[in-house]
Amino acid sequence: MPKEELLDELWGDRFVSEWALSTAVKHARRALGDDGARQHIIKTSHGRGYRLVVPVERIEHRVTVDAGPSGRDDAVRVEPVDGSSPQVGALHRLPRPVTLLGRDGELKRLEELNEPRSAVTIVGPGGVGKTSLALKMAHELGEDGHDIWFCDLAAQDGDGVASEVLDVVDSTAGSGGVSIDRIAERPGHGRTTLFLDNCEHVIDAVRTLADGLLDRLPNLSIVATSRDVIRLPEERLVRLAGLRGGDPHSPAVQLFMRRGGQLGTMTGTDEDRKIAVRIVDRLDGLPLALELAATRLTSASPSEVLDALDDQLAVLRGGPGSERHSTMERTIDWSYRLLSPEEQQVLSELSVFRSPFRLDAATYVVEAEGVAEFVHRLVQCSMLSVVQGSHGTRFRMLEPIRQFIEERSEEGGLIGLRTRHAEYFAERIATLARLLHTSDEPVAAAALTAEWPDVVDTVRWGLDAGRPDIAVEPLVRLGFHIRWQQRTEAYGWLEAGLK
């Protein structure tokens, strides 16, 4: 059939590009087990259109679309009128997909892990794009013939999880009692994937429900998004960090440039891209943070947005998203409130570190018992991230989280904390300075570079406290390193410390 006839048949009087038709053909081929290379079923007639090269039996289908709030589709299903099995998957309460940049590796890993009776959790801090990745996967699975059930649990408490899932899998279920057996009756016998979005505040209820459904449904798989692990038997994790930055064409920079261009304030010049690289680095590549920062471009230049990031929470206020995601502060507060008081206290004390820190540093600075276990839990719930490098395992707090904690810390309670921090790094500098004159010099130099923001805080604290053993002696020990790395700011500190 010629392209023009196909366009008229599918879209009528609406204007669409030939790209839309090519995409539709691609999806049809995928559903039929064909592709553009083999073309065993749908063959391209170059310059004309497409034709079917196999015998065709016409079966009447009906398409049901129930529009939900905020542009969402509560249910989209393609079914043969005669009741036979559909050729494509059914999509239930699945929001429309969003543009996804820089997540090809994570998406591929998700698809590899998604097997019958499997549970995969996409884990990461708020605003990192867990839901966007889940949506992309859900749409692709639907094209491959899976039944997809998508449940947003953000507004539910523990008691409401099972009811929400039952309402999604059967909106006509009525008001009877909710049980796992009742939910398990609804899905069909084909490959089915249940997506449970925003689980971190109802983990116990999700674990019970998911465990029961996987026991009862051999063709079911579950994909959850959460800031914390669900702790299901044999749970598989896909951890998300911020989008890759570092160069003008990285995914994070592309996202920021695209949003800035949509607002009409970024022109794509080399200077704009250089500033965007620095903004992305300051915001750790977090998609939500980049989106919120881009909204500031309606009233500020890119360089002014960059300068304002010393107070990130102020810059990242206001913008699109749900109540939890309308500001970066609310996003962090949602996670913070899920911590126990002891975990909140340890996180507060760990905010003293300006750079990725070692476990021995945390143990020295934090007063609580069992610091290693606290750090482990804070990594699990995405309040800390793990950094691996040539200088060993370190732990890092995202800058927006650190600023959030710092705003809530009482100055009086920080005196002993900052003293321990400064004393630890004064001793640490002495150790690294000795190693600079041994065969371990590359490792020591790399460690100093990684820890330099904390070295700076240590020296400044020593100057303010009148402690030459912390303000002067570390700089003297690092004399060679300071000259070699051209850290000229240290000369001013040394001069001030000797007065």
Side-chain angles (χ1 to χ4, degrees), residues 98-303:
V98 297
T99 302
L100 197 65
L101 295 173
R103 296 298 192 195
D104 291 347
E106 292 92 339
L107 184 61
K108 181 179 179 181
R109 174 164 168 75
L110 273 172
E111 291 171 343
E112 290 172 349
L113 294 176
N114 188 52
E115 300 172 344
R117 279 189 166 161
S118 69
V120 185
T121 306
I122 305 170
V123 182
V128 80
K130 300 182 292 297
T131 299
S132 296
L133 180 61
L135 281 174
K136 178 67 173 176
M137 180 188 186
H139 279 276
E140 292 203 355
L141 288 177
E143 292 166 6
D144 285 340
H146 287 223
D147 276 2
I148 302 299
W149 308 87
F150 196 93
C151 305
D152 184 355
L153 303 178
Q156 303 302 318
D157 58 19
D159 294 335
V161 168
S163 297
E164 175 67 14
V165 174
L166 178 61
D167 182 57
V168 170
V169 301
D170 186 358
S171 59
T172 66
S175 58
V178 178
S179 67
I180 294 176
D181 286 331
R182 192 176 178 202
I183 295 171
E185 292 172 357
R186 267 60 188 182
H189 300 292
R191 280 290 281 117
T192 302
T193 303
L194 172 63
F195 284 81
L196 301 174
D197 194 29
N198 300 306
C199 297
E200 57 275 349
H201 61 300
V202 286
I203 281 177
D204 291 341
V206 167
R207 185 188 310 117
T208 299
L209 175 69
D211 207 16
L213 289 176
L214 290 172
D215 278 345
R216 290 163 173 79
L217 298 171
N219 290 318
L220 177 71
S221 58
I222 292 176
V223 176
T225 73
S226 177
R227 303 181 194 186
D228 199 352
V229 296
I230 309 297
R231 294 185 288 279
L232 281 161
E234 300 184 16
E235 179 181 12
R236 305 160 184 201
L237 300 181
V238 174
R239 283 202 173 270
L240 286 194
L243 290 171
R244 181 178 62 83
D247 69 75
H249 302 288
S250 62
V253 173
Q254 287 183 51
L255 174 61
F256 186 76
M257 293 293 295
R258 187 189 68 194
R259 289 296 292 127
Q262 290 169 345
L263 295 168
T265 54
M266 296 200 80
T267 60
T269 63
D270 288 344
E271 184 60 26
D272 275 355
R273 288 189 176 276
K274 288 179 182 177
I275 294 173
V277 169
R278 296 175 64 190
I279 290 173
V280 163
D281 182 61
R282 292 287 302 276
L283 297 177
D284 298 293
L286 284 175
L288 175 63
L290 297 176
E291 294 272 358
L292 293 172
T295 65
R296 292 286 170 166
L297 293 170
T298 58
S299 59
S301 69
S303 59

Side-chain angles (χ1 to χ4, degrees), residues 351 354 401-410 418:
S351 70
R354 296 276 177 172
I401 296 177
R402 197 190 65 76
Q403 290 188 14
F404 173 90
I405 299 298
E406 198 170 59
E407 279 191 4
R408 283 153 181 76
S409 299
E410 297 181 5
R418 297 200 184 282

Side-chain angles (χ1 to χ4, degrees), residues 294-349:
T295 65
R296 292 286 170 166
L297 293 170
T298 58
S299 59
S301 69
S303 59
E304 288 170 336
V305 172
L306 175 63
D307 291 341
L309 288 180
D310 286 341
D311 185 357
Q312 292 191 8
L313 297 181
V315 174
L316 305 179
R317 288 190 178 116
S322 66
E323 180 69 13
R324 294 182 307 123
H325 285 165
S326 59
T327 73
M328 202 68 207
E329 189 169 10
R330 283 180 178 166
T331 299
I332 297 168
D333 188 58
W334 172 272
S335 297
Y336 182 76
R337 289 175 181 273
L338 295 175
L339 301 177
S340 69
E342 295 79 13
E343 290 166 345
Q344 290 177 357
Q345 179 60 33
V346 171
L347 186 70
S348 176
E349 295 189 29

